[in-house]
Amino acid sequence: MSLPLTPTQTVGPYLSLGLPWPDGPDVVPDGTPGAVLIGGTVVDGTGALVPDALVETWQADPDGRFDHPDDPRGAAKSTVEGLRGFGRCPTDDEGRWWIRTVLPGALPDGSGAGSAEAPHVNVSVFARGLLDRVVTRIYFPEHADAHATDPLLAAVPEARRHTLVAVAEGPGRYRFDIRLRGEGETVFLAL
């Protein structure tokens, strides 16, 4: 009996063929007020660019809410017209990826203590050589005060936290390179 392939089994150059997404990297439509571009490269353990990876993102809206029934506060329609919260971008021949989105808001941390997770974008990376996706987060430099109280960042050794913070490259532009292994490896989270 033959079973269909799962995304976990679809490694290599087939990701862009097997996992298309109609709106791709546009989490918000072009021209959305306050839209930002987040992009970078995916690099393997030898330092080589990965031209056949797939980067997925999932995020809250600027109010820190998800338009999804699993949001613990209940699904809420975003105040940002056309915000989907989800994006998917295959890397190009030079290992580059990007998404167009808006900056997310802080989230409650679930402890009931009223503290919040710093604004972040959740990221999944599928790439050759990985038998399962790796998961990380993108935090933003303008929220450094919130980083100090973020429970996930507090659990990451201070010397490695920078691998989770995007670099501002100008108005509305951020760079976030993903290093899969080796020196400067991005901090990945356990599933």
Side-chain angles (χ1 to χ4, degrees):
M1 175 168 118
S2 177
L3 298 175
L5 291 176
T6 66
T8 306
Q9 295 165 317
T10 311
V11 295
Y14 305 109
L15 293 170
S16 60
L17 299 173
L19 297 172
W21 183 252
D23 298 317
D26 291 311
V27 178
V28 295
D30 190 18
T32 298
V36 298
L37 289 175
I38 305 170
T41 57
V42 178
V43 179
D44 70 16
T46 67
L49 297 167
V50 181
D52 54 1
L54 186 72
V55 177
E56 288 183 346
T57 63
W58 174 244
Q59 70 175 80
D61 71 6
D63 297 321
R65 296 189 67 106
F66 291 94
D67 184 11
H68 193 275
D70 287 343
D71 188 307
R73 297 154 295 168
K77 188 69 177 155
S78 177
T79 57
V80 177
E81 186 69 33
L83 174 68
R84 294 176 307 142
F86 179 79
R88 181 180 281 165
C89 184
T91 55
D92 66 13
D93 291 341
E94 296 176 15
R96 297 177 299 210
W97 66 276
W98 66 274
I99 62 166
R100 176 183 291 113
T101 189
V102 292
L103 293 179
L107 302 171
D109 73 357
S111 71
S115 58
E117 296 180 28
H120 64 273
V121 173
N122 298 303
V123 178
S124 292
V125 181
F126 300 85
R128 60 181 152 85
L130 298 177
L131 295 180
D132 204 351
R133 67 185 172 140
V134 291
V135 178
T136 191
R137 284 184 174 179
I138 302 171
Y139 291 90
F140 300 92
E142 58 267 65
H143 300 120
D145 290 345
H147 296 173
T149 59
D150 184 275
L152 187 134
L153 277 174
V156 174
E158 190 170 345
R160 303 234 15 244
R161 289 181 194 157
H162 72 279
T163 70
L164 296 176
V165 181
V167 175
E169 290 196 316
R173 295 185 67 88
Y174 296 89
R175 183 172 185 93
F176 187 78
D177 293 320
I178 300 166
R179 185 165 190 93
L180 298 174
R181 290 192 60 113
E183 190 168 331
E185 177 182 330
T186 303
V187 171
F188 296 108
L189 313 173
L191 294 176

